Amino acid sequence: MRPVTLILGGAASGKSAFSESLIESEIGGHWTGALYLATATAGDAEMADKIKRHRDRRGPAWTTVEEPLALADALAEHTQPQRPILVDCLTLWLSNLMFADRDIASETSRLIATFPGLTSPVLFVSNEVGGGIVPENALARRFRDEAGRLNQKIAAAADRVYLITAGLPLTLKDSTV
Amino acid sequence: MRPVTLILGGAASGKSAFSESLIESEIGGHWTGALYLATATAGDAEMADKIKRHRDRRGPAWTTVEEPLALADALAEHTQPQRPILVDCLTLWLSNLMFADRDIASETSRLIATFPGLTSPVLFVSNEVGGGIVPENALARRFRDEAGRLNQKIAAAADRVYLITAGLPLTLKDSTV
Amino acid sequence: MRPVTLILGGAASGKSAFSESLIESEIGGHWTGALYLATATAGDAEMADKIKRHRDRRGPAWTTVEEPLALADALAEHTQPQRPILVDCLTLWLSNLMFADRDIASETSRLIATFPGLTSPVLFVSNEVGGGIVPENALARRFRDEAGRLNQKIAAAADRVYLITAGLPLTLKDSTV
């Protein structure tokens, strides 16, 4: 098992850019490219624009694969030594699972069960969504509770967890040192 | 005065589970049970379900007392050596006070005035609710301002303060070391 | 260039009080007053009340200047040795810029371009607004993305960055030590 890292932060906190720079600084010259595993689908103009901005920033060393639902299968298929994988992001994956009426707890367990077999470093980006006022909308309340539980489970299984604020990291956990 | 601890975090961030494991790890075999002082009342199905899940997790060493409003009195009544108290949570207490049209500042002062007389370790769980966009609803804006002020006052009076994210703590203050 | 400090935190997290006490503890007896550069205008009763509370707390050593938009010009005009400046806050400045339909990226660049010429310590207060559920309102979504990007840019250019929770600081960056 290669290190599994969870990158947490609010909206527009710089999670993706931090993740990319972490990969580039740690892997240095020894890698053979990196895989960007996107859970987003360009369903509307806002999202299409964000996907394009992120893609332009990453540059040509990155290959992009889109997988909105079958994340465990995609990780098992694409993991290979010397090629880090950035999963961006778990919050959209959760949203996709809820929309498709999947069982969140069992999908989360399947995802975590892939960790011991991973041969590449994997970084998961996920949003903090529980820091505001209780939403009036019942679906939004359910979503933020599920997102919180998902983040807790991935954090417990991960080797490293960072919290990003304004592009700057706080280390919540690091069992690699 | 025994240590007073404040556990802060967003919704579904793992505050309660962290608090329970902190009590169990610190007190070890030397305690005679713990008291769960709940400010929630099972007023709707969502809350009843959450209360049940938390109760199932805590197990038989815990006694539960419900007190939605008179928190200072309940602490004074129930404090005893060797029995830690977990107050879960201050945010619902504040909500109950506002609904009952009580004076928040004086109720907060009364609560803090109990701290020097406490003979048991007491942990307060409270929500971070100020991390989102300004709510459109005036009552929600007032609530998050009052919640922020309450957290500041309890934090200033507490011996230890932790911020929980995805189940993992950051130490904001520790005057016990 | 004197140290530039960014103070981040949610609503009612104690950012302003922390900033004022930081200025007072660091400058000690060596200053000749401090400047409070307010981006708020007392446009409604809630804001007028908040401005009054903050002003009462600061006391007579502070001079207040209001500047809702031309922050770079105001900093250049008012900077002088031995007089710290507290800019409160960047989030309202952003809101004012958006309302006035200014170009956010170029206004941000102009602000950061003043940093090397500053002769006084400057502290910027800014809100974390990205920690909640995705807002349903498109303008609110745009605002929180712009606020996140603004905080990232100021944080990258600042010498020190603190995250305040319940009045207590976590150090995100400190290149002055």
Side-chain angles (χ1 to χ4, degrees), chain B residues 106-121:
Chain B
S106 70
E107 295 289 343
T108 304
S109 296
R110 283 189 60 213
L111 178 61
I112 292 172
T114 67
F115 290 5
L118 295 172
T119 57
S120 46

Side-chain angles (χ1 to χ4, degrees), chain A residues 5 11-12 21 25 44 46 63 69 76 79 83 86 94 114 124 142 154 157 163:
Chain A
T5 306
S21 68
S25 69
D44 64 34
E46 261 183 66
T63 306
L69 289 168
T79 189
R83 191 175 68 162
L86 175 54
L94 174 64
T114 66
F124 293 97
R142 191 191 148 207
I154 302 293
L163 175 63

